[in-house]
Amino acid sequence: MADKPQSGSILGIPYNFERPSLGRLLSAHWKPGEGMVVEKPFGIGYTLNLANWRSWIVVLVAGVLLWQEGDDGGIETVDDDEPVEVVVDD
């Protein structure tokens, strides 16, 4: 049986299934000379380059959205124990 390659790209999407190491994981997420996204150190696709300021804006926006998701925004919730009236128009 032929050995399958551990890294490469399929249809322009990179993959890497070599055993991850801490050094490779850290260096993959911090590449000052490159753009906002870089190849993942393990797995399929791309990840954020934390050396780029635009990546931090993405992380900040995602954090704000997750924080707002936890807030119910003052909407009154209905307890599951109370009966609910449903009106159906024919």
Side-chain angles (χ1 to χ4, degrees):
M1 190 167 184
D3 290 332
K4 295 181 182 177
Q6 295 291 318
S7 64
S9 67
I10 297 177
L11 301 173
I13 300 173
Y15 67 90
N16 187 353
F17 293 113
E18 296 172 1
R19 180 170 284 213
S21 66
L22 184 60
R24 196 173 81 199
L25 290 173
L26 292 176
S27 67
H29 291 283
W30 192 267
K31 293 186 177 182
E34 297 194 21
M36 189 171 112
V37 292
V38 293
E39 292 182 10
K40 279 188 169 187
F42 181 78
I44 301 170
Y46 297 93
T47 188
L48 290 175
N49 179 10
L50 297 178
N52 192 310
W53 63 271
R54 292 176 292 198
S55 297
W56 287 102
I57 293 192
V58 170
V59 170
L60 180 68
V61 168
V64 167
L65 290 174
L66 286 172
W67 177 70
Q68 284 183 345
E69 183 179 287
D71 183 22
D72 63 358
I75 298 173
E76 183 179 332
T77 59
V78 178
D79 292 334
D80 291 337
D81 296 339
E82 297 179 14
V84 177
E85 180 181 350
V86 178
V87 178
V88 179
D89 291 333
D90 289 333

